[in-house]
Amino acid sequence: MPIPRELSTDANQQLRFALLGPLQAWRGDASLELGPVREQALLIALLLRPGRTVSRQQLLDGVWGAEPPGTGSRVIPVYVHRLRRRLDARGNGSANSVIDTVRGGYRFAPGSACTDVARWEELAAEGRAARDSGDLDAAVDAWSRALGLFRGEPLAGIVGPFAEGERLRLAEQRLLLLQDRVDCQLRAGHHAPAVGELFSLTTAHPYNEALAALLMRALHAGNRQSDALDVYAAVRRRLVDEQGVEPGAELRRVHEAVLRGDDSSPPGDTAPRQRRTADDMTHRPSGPRGPEQARHKRRVRHELPVGTGNFTGRDRELRLLVAPADARAVTVRAVDGMAGVGKTALVVRAARALRDRYPDGCLFVDLHGHREDREAMGRQRVLRRLLRAVGAGDGEDSEDLDELAASWRAATASLRLLLVLDDASRAEQVRPLLPAGSGSMVMVTSRRRLTGLDADRRVSLSPLAIDEAADLLTRIVGGEEGGDASDHERVAVRELATLCGRLPLALRIVGARIQDRPSWAVDALAVRLADDERRLDELTVEDRSVEAAFRISYEQLPAAEQRAFRALGLSPTVRLDRLTLAALLDRTPSDAERALESLAEASLVQRVTADRYRLHDLMAVYARRVATASPEEVPAAQGGVFRLYVAAARCAADWGTSSFPTGPQGIGPFADWEEATAWLDEAGGELVDVIGQAAAVGRLDEACWIAEGVVDYLTRQGRFHECRTALEMLLPLVGQATDRRMDSALRTGLGILNGLQGRYRQARSWFTEALDISRRAGDRHEQARAAAGLGTFANLEGRIAESMGHFAEVLRLAGELTHDDWLTGSVMTRVGDVHHQLREYDKAYDRYLEAIALAEKGGSPRLLGKTLLRLGRLQLDLGRPAEAVGTLGKAEDLARRLGDIPLYSAVLGRLSTAEADLGNPEAAAELRRRSHAVLGEQTGTASEIAIRHRLIWHGAVAEDLAGARDFFERATALPVGDANRASISRALDDLDRRRQERRPGADES
């Protein structure tokens, strides 16, 4: 996309960042490479706190969350150094860097860069000022320009808790600004343009009542009252059916205005109080409940405990619990969640809000399902207590559970009660305790999801959002979240809330420890909590303890599930799945899946998607602690999980598992390369961390095998920086590996990486080192791989004789390596290229066919796709475009499945040529357009530059000189994109001049 000039007027040296979409950066007109995704996440954590000091621990938590790298905070200076090399202007020393090293951490130097986020905030403020002054059109114009800065999801693809929080914040602010803009449009009388946008927004946000109200106002203003009423009916149906709540006051107010035919009042007007409706009457008894005198004789009991002070957040969950209930039945509402997440506080809050609806009393029973100091209350004991509470003590003498339950049902048949059953251990504990009176309600809390209990509403509590957690902690310690708090205090409180995992129990413990103490207590406690070894010990005060709460849940598990939980503490990634746990336990994936489901039901792991899970931050610390207490299990678990990554990396590699002669063999639990690739995709930016952790725990061989295996996987996706980080991290350690093949294998990987990025000199150096090492070691396999690399890039540099010498050596060695079909096939493809260059078409054709057969035999889809591309190109040169279309069609399908952007773009470009040769100019133009689009804006390998140059000539031949020149300008702005810059520019100028000369009347000027 065009560089957003609005960010700055200085086009020479100004550093500019675009964050409202995929992260991009420029210095002047030059686009900057920003490194692997973790480095980008660290950059974001500094960039969005301009001028503020960010500690190493804050950066570690913000980028890695609960699963820091094995090197801990020592990785931060390394990442900062790399970012400085990429961002600082040439000649700037560290003293003038855009990233300052200050006492306590780092900061992004104020004024050293501008961002679209800052521009967004300026325009948003400009719009608010215009609105407040009454200039609605100016407000709409400013906000439209602000919204135009968004290029998609903010910070797209950036990992880590900090980026995720900022992504949600920016997305929410964007939605609010959209609402403000539409509101101003309506107030200014411009309802027609707003309707279409509002329909789109309400479809994307079907429960947003503010958007629905705006849409109703816009439709009403356009004399579409019927459509406006339809919007209200649809929203109300969704809210009632799916969330159990009625629309709020504002939406009802707009609805009433439409019914009356009045224009809805502008924002800021006081909405009328909600009148009592028929729905409220459902809380009254639907029929007689026996003699009124009996009710008055019994003393009504209200046993709800004192509500938790400083209750914060949980608005959505509270609405679900207090939603109207069926007056003809007993309603059960269940709340589950991990220890300390605030289940009891929420239910007590809801029960107090509902208390007036239940004239026969509100009863509370602590079932002690998860108390270290108390046994779980037996059902007979609970029933006797409940019978006494309703004045039916005559039925409490029996010891028989069924008889007691019958007495309880008889005693409550004419009553409408609210019963809270706190901390249930299982559904069987609850069922006999349900009252019988129509209109009664039972609220149950449990750490387990009580699926065996029939409930009309289930609420699964997660930890608080970071803003809610910081607000709760601030209230407890007696501070102010708003203007009275300093920036330092707000940052310190948020950091402390993050270290508490946003868990209410942990927040209350920490709050009690620092209550009314000076602000330094927050910093001091944050330092102690940052140490995983001490964190759980610090989260204890008197009888409250996070670790004790976790321990009860853990100890109530069966032995097999305890073992599974310990194993999760050894996982190298934050996200977990059944294959990971199966590898940790050496069990089948089905067994592992059942264990994960059981742990999720017990709220010891959190379900993220249908097949992915994660440990809460503090639960992960506890899992590592209990895993350490069983050291005999650690070696097998770590070995299993790292071997899983080895299998995935090798299976996903186009080279085929037979190309890896040492280390674990086979494809593990993966059916094919597509399944292994999809599994690695789920690991995302954590893949380099997995390699680093393997090295950190002494599994250096596995670390090297994973790194070697993912070279092909990462480079074909353009993730060059991740690949480089992994290889360069291991290279200084490779001498400690027992697999001596890795000395040359890692260097060959660096040669491949540099060659693909067009850094031929560096590639040649790495391949030469690898070749020398493998020759001295007598390792023919690595010798052949290094020689193949030298031959490949010598050919690309035009040194054909040299490349043929290397290929001859490879083929000689390959005769002794019958297992490596990929290597032999790859060389055949390159030899075919040489014959093609020399116009020895028959020989080239034969070599390509041999390579295709070997690629199919070895299951190497990328080699197959690349060779089919070359064969298609040869068929075009032979004047057989119809055959080329068939060949290139197969290559297109493979490239799409692989996600190989350069290959896909190249195939589309050749298909364009084939269609043009067949006399189909429209099809050729469309394929050329798709090839441009696929290649995108953020590529920069040597092969991609070559594709761009080829597409430039396609455009020039088609007389699309403007398009060709635009693509050329963008291509040469890329890294290593200045190859042939001058010659291509001169050629395009010449073509343009000739076309001008051919125009009629050109001589008349």
Side-chain angles (χ1 to χ4, degrees), residues 263-392:
D263 193 12
S264 56
S265 56
D269 287 4
T270 302
R273 289 186 176 273
Q274 182 179 359
R275 294 187 298 272
R276 190 169 186 82
T277 66
D279 285 331
D280 295 313
M281 302 304 293
T282 62
H283 305 302
R284 295 290 181 192
S286 58
R289 296 186 175 272
E292 280 295 317
Q293 292 178 341
R295 181 173 296 164
H296 289 299
K297 287 179 181 178
R298 184 179 67 82
R299 183 169 59 87
V300 176
R301 295 183 59 145
H302 292 287
E303 300 178 344
L304 295 176
V306 176
T308 304
N310 301 312
F311 186 89
T312 302
R314 308 299 195 198
D315 294 339
R316 184 188 70 83
E317 294 86 353
L318 199 57
R319 285 198 302 271
L320 288 174
L321 292 178
V322 302
D326 188 348
R328 299 163 298 176
V330 175
T331 299
V332 178
R333 291 180 176 166
V335 178
D336 62 84
M338 66 184 292
V341 80
K343 301 180 291 296
T344 303
L346 172 65
V347 166
V348 169
R349 184 84 163 192
R352 287 187 166 276
L354 294 173
R355 184 173 59 184
D356 293 342
R357 302 182 187 177
Y358 297 91
D360 296 310
C362 301
L363 307 181
F364 181 94
V365 181
D366 188 344
L367 298 177
H368 303 307
H370 302 86
R371 284 283 297 273
E372 194 170 30
D373 58 339
R374 301 283 294 272
E375 290 186 7
M377 288 186 69
R379 291 172 290 180
Q380 290 92 331
R381 180 182 170 192
V382 176
L383 284 168
R384 284 193 287 270
R385 178 197 179 295
L386 289 172
L387 284 166
R388 289 195 298 272
V390 298

Side-chain angles (χ1 to χ4, degrees), residues 135-318:
D135 192 344
L136 300 181
D137 289 336
V140 170
D141 176 67
W143 287 337
S144 296
R145 284 184 285 136
L147 292 165
L149 293 174
F150 279 84
R151 298 168 293 114
E153 181 185 51
L155 306 175
I158 305 298
V159 300
F162 180 82
E164 180 62 24
E166 289 299 302
R167 184 160 38 245
L168 293 173
R169 179 181 69 83
L170 292 168
E172 181 67 19
Q173 288 185 349
R174 177 178 181 271
L175 183 60
L176 291 173
L177 200 65
L178 276 166
Q179 292 173 202
D180 287 345
R181 184 183 69 175
V182 171
D183 179 69
C184 281
Q185 286 176 305
L186 296 180
R187 290 164 63 185
H190 308 312
H191 60 270
V195 170
E197 183 174 30
L198 283 169
F199 268 121
S200 175
L201 287 169
T202 53
T203 300
H205 304 278
Y207 302 103
N208 189 311
E209 296 184 38
L211 289 173
L214 288 169
L215 177 56
M216 290 177 67
R217 288 172 55 194
L219 291 169
H220 181 44
N223 294 317
R224 296 172 61 182
Q225 285 83 356
S226 176
D227 290 339
L229 293 173
D230 286 344
V231 170
Y232 179 82
V235 173
R236 183 181 182 277
R237 186 166 54 250
R238 276 195 296 271
L239 291 172
V240 172
D241 292 349
E242 298 175 26
Q243 296 193 345
V245 296
E246 289 287 339
E250 172 64 14
L251 191 57
R252 292 198 307 273
R253 182 176 66 81
V254 176
H255 178 232
E256 291 168 3
V258 174
L259 289 172
R260 292 193 307 268
D262 299 335
D263 193 12
S264 56
S265 56
D269 287 4
T270 302
R273 289 186 176 273
Q274 182 179 359
R275 294 187 298 272
R276 190 169 186 82
T277 66
D279 285 331
D280 295 313
M281 302 304 293
T282 62
H283 305 302
R284 295 290 181 192
S286 58
R289 296 186 175 272
E292 280 295 317
Q293 292 178 341
R295 181 173 296 164
H296 289 299
K297 287 179 181 178
R298 184 179 67 82
R299 183 169 59 87
V300 176
R301 295 183 59 145
H302 292 287
E303 300 178 344
L304 295 176
V306 176
T308 304
N310 301 312
F311 186 89
T312 302
R314 308 299 195 198
D315 294 339
R316 184 188 70 83
E317 294 86 353
L318 199 57

Side-chain angles (χ1 to χ4, degrees), residues 13 52 87 150 155 189 214 231 321 346 365 399 534 565 567 580 631 710 719 842 865 986:
Q13 287 297 316
R52 290 162 52 190
L87 299 178
F150 279 84
L155 306 175
L214 288 169
V231 170
L321 292 178
L346 172 65
V365 181
E399 292 293 331
R534 300 178 57 182
F565 181 76
T580 302
V710 297
R719 294 160 63 181
D842 290 343
R986 285 195 301 271

Side-chain angles (χ1 to χ4, degrees), residues 2-65:
I3 296 174
R5 292 287 186 176
E6 193 173 19
L7 301 186
S8 172
T9 57
D10 183 354
N12 297 318
Q13 287 297 316
Q14 179 65 51
L15 192 60
R16 307 189 304 283
F17 293 93
L19 298 91
L20 299 176
L23 177 61
Q24 294 177 287
W26 301 268
R27 182 171 290 284
D29 287 340
S31 177
L32 301 179
E33 292 188 62
L34 296 176
V37 67
R38 292 286 183 189
E39 289 181 25
Q40 294 182 31
L42 190 142
L43 170 62
I44 291 298
L46 292 168
L47 190 60
L48 288 179
R49 294 159 164 152
R52 290 162 52 190
T53 298
V54 187
S55 70
R56 289 189 184 183
Q57 187 61 47
Q58 285 179 295
L59 292 171
L60 203 64
D61 292 338
V63 175
W64 282 273

Side-chain angles (χ1 to χ4, degrees), residues 510-546:
V510 164
R513 294 188 60 181
I514 61 176
Q515 215 160 29
D516 298 324
R517 293 183 183 180
S519 60
W520 59 259
V522 176
D523 295 327
L525 189 53
V527 171
R528 293 197 292 274
L529 286 175
D531 182 355
D532 273 2
E533 296 296 322
R534 300 178 57 182
R535 189 178 307 185
L536 293 177
D537 298 328
E538 297 290 340
L539 294 176
T540 300
V541 59
E542 294 186 359
D543 62 339
R544 285 181 169 183
S545 167
V546 171

